[in-house]
Each structure stands twice: as C-alpha cells, then as structure tokens.
C-alpha cells in the first residue's frame, strides 16, 4: 500500500477543520439566538458591553428650549476563556478507512465544541430573576404566553425564543394536541399532530435542546428570551491544530475555541422551571 504523502495529509486536515467549523456553527442552537460579539481583532480577554437605559419624550411648548436628558449607561463584562477537545487520528485509520474519516472526525470535534458552547449559554437561564414554574409541575402553553407578556411589558425588542428540554416540549405538544384541553387549537394544533413541531406560540419560536440538563428530581430549567438578554463573546471559533506523535504513529487533533458568555439585561429573559419526564 502506498504511503500517504504530505499533500494528502494536508488535504485531510483541511477537510477536518472545515467540517468541524461548519458543524460547530450549525449544531450550536443557542448561539444563534443571543447577541454575538466578535472580539477576534481586539486585545485582551474581556469585552465591556454597554447597556443603555430607556428615556422618555415629553410634550413641548412652542418657543421653549428642550431640556437635556442624561443618558447614563451601565456595562456588563464578559470574560473569555478556552475550551478544548482532542482526538487521535492514527496512521492506520488515515490510510485504511473506508468511510469519510476526515468528515467524521470533523463532525465529532465540531459537535463537542458546539455542545459546550450551548451548555454554557443554557447555564445562564437559571440566572434570570423572574420566571414561571416549579419543581414537579408540567409546562403549558399558558406559561409561554405569560412569559411573552412579561417580556413585552419590559419593552424587550427582537424575536422571542424559548429553549426547553425535549420532554418539556412533549408536554407543550401534548397540551396543543389534546382536543379536550385545547378544543380550538386550529392550525397550530394540526401542525403539532402532523409533524411533532411546535413552531411559534404567542410570537415565541419554540426550540427543544437535549443539552438542557435534568436534575435528580426530573426537573429542567429552560427560558424565554430575546437576543439582547444574553451575550456571547468569541475570541476565536473552532480551531484545530494537528501535532505529530511518532511513537503513537498518529496525529493529535487539538480542537479549541475561546469565548465567554454572560447575562446582559435580566428583564429580557424569563426562566422556565418545570418537570422534564415522560
């Protein structure tokens, strides 16, 4: 069997890197629902995010000067740190694999980084000071409506999203498709019955994620929020550096990313603490 050339290995690594970056960006659900700050070209490991207050306009009297309104901003600090995962590509695997070893490894590494990024963002849900639910209770569509109402009352702007555990999503779907509990579900009820997809409720896009953890009492914490509620600062996205290990007769594939997460505006998010069991 002919030995792999340097060019072949370079092509292989390039494919791994491309697949890992694509997978990380596609598989990370919550990163697409929050405010992202690209600080790759900036020095330092922190970013100061300004938070602006609301100001009010008032009626004017003709010929009278406007009075100035002081706009004092607060700031939220997001600190960046590294995460990483390593995989081994042996010479034997690189030369004899029947499948797409580059694509498979890239997907594995990309999914690992995507899951870590999502779980870090999901960990912020329990930090919202207001929300609905309690341990052992089941979520209903009314909880989504109430959460949306609170966000609107707080003047939260942007598309509202809910991220909940799949078992909680099942409870929402069950609530929608129960003809007795919801006899007027209409098109949304029919869609949930046909495809198992909840869609949008009260202007809130519903997403389910298995990255939400379930505690020992079978409860999970999801949330309804707008992008301005949470921030994600990215120093660098998925980066893979290969390192030859001669004694191992293979390559170490070291995948890293540097980012930080933080809550920006507490009033723009509502936690959802409910039972997550079926």
């Amino acid at each position: 069997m002919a030995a792999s050339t340097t060019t072949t290995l370079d092509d292989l690594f390039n494919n791994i890197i491309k697949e890992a970056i694509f997978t990380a960006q596609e598989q990370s659900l919550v990163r697409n629902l929050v405010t992202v700050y690209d600080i790759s070209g900036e020095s330092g490991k922190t970013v100061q995010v300004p938070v602006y207050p609301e100001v009010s306009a008032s009626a004017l009297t003709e010929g009278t000067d406007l009075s100035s309104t002081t706009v004092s901003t607060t700031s939220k600090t997001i600190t960046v740190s590294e995460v990483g995962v390593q995989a081994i590509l042996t010479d034997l695997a690189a030369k004899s694999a029947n499948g797409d070893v580059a694509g498979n490894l890239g997907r594995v590494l990309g999914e690992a980084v995507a899951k870590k990024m999502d779980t870090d963002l999901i960990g912020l849900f329990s930090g919202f000071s207001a929300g609905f639910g309690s341990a052992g209770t089941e979520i209903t569509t009314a909880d989504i409506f109430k959460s949306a109402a609170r966000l609107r009352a707080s003047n939260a702007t942007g598309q509202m999203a809910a991220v909940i555990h799949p078992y909680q999503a099942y409870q929402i779907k069950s609530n929608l498709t129960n003809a007795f509990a919801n006899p007027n579900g209409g098109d949304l009820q029919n869609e949930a019955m046909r495809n198992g997809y909840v869609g949008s409720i009260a202007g809130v896009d519903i997403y389910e994620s298995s990255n939400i953890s379930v505690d020992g009492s079978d409860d999970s914490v999801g949330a309804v929020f707008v992008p301005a509620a949470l921030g994600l600062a990215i120093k660098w996205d998925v980066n893979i550096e290969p390192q030859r290990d001669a004694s191992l007769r293979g390559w170490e594939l070291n995948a890293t990313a540097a980012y930080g997460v933080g809550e920006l505006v507490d009033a723009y998010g509502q936690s959802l603490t409910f039972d997550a069991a079926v």
Side-chain angles (χ1 to χ4, degrees), residues 26 28 40 46 56 66 101 110 121 136 152 165 214 218 246 251 276:
E26 289 294 313
S28 183
S40 58
T46 62
S56 300
L66 284 166
V101 63
L121 286 166
R152 292 190 178 99
H165 190 276
V214 180
D218 290 333
W251 295 82

Side-chain angles (χ1 to χ4, degrees), residues 85-221:
V85 60
Q86 183 187 91
I88 301 296
L89 174 61
T90 64
D91 294 341
L92 185 60
K95 296 175 183 178
S96 61
N98 291 324
D100 180 10
V101 63
N104 292 337
L105 277 174
R107 281 188 292 274
V108 168
L109 295 173
E111 287 172 358
V113 174
K115 181 174 182 178
K116 175 60 176 171
M117 190 175 289
D118 260 18
T119 54
D120 286 345
L121 286 166
I122 287 168
L124 300 174
F125 291 172
S126 58
F128 291 131
S129 60
F132 293 97
S134 59
T137 60
E138 289 195 356
I139 190 172
T140 68
T141 53
D143 297 305
I144 304 297
F145 276 91
K146 289 186 290 186
S147 297
R150 279 190 178 175
L151 294 186
R152 292 190 178 99
S154 297
N155 295 319
T157 58
Q159 178 58 49
M160 291 181 288
V163 180
I164 55 179
H165 190 276
Y167 291 163
Q168 294 171 332
Y170 164 77
Q171 293 162 11
I172 290 286
K173 296 168 188 175
S174 178
N175 190 240
L176 285 170
T177 57
N178 187 327
F180 177 78
N182 185 27
N184 299 309
D187 290 340
L188 185 59
Q189 181 186 77
N190 293 335
E191 185 68 15
M193 293 180 71
R194 284 194 299 265
N195 301 323
Y197 174 63
V198 178
S200 179
I201 299 175
V204 180
D205 291 335
I206 311 296
Y207 299 91
E208 50 188 294
S209 174
S210 60
N211 290 333
I212 296 179
S213 63
V214 180
D215 65 20
S217 301
D218 290 333
D219 298 305
S220 287
V221 180

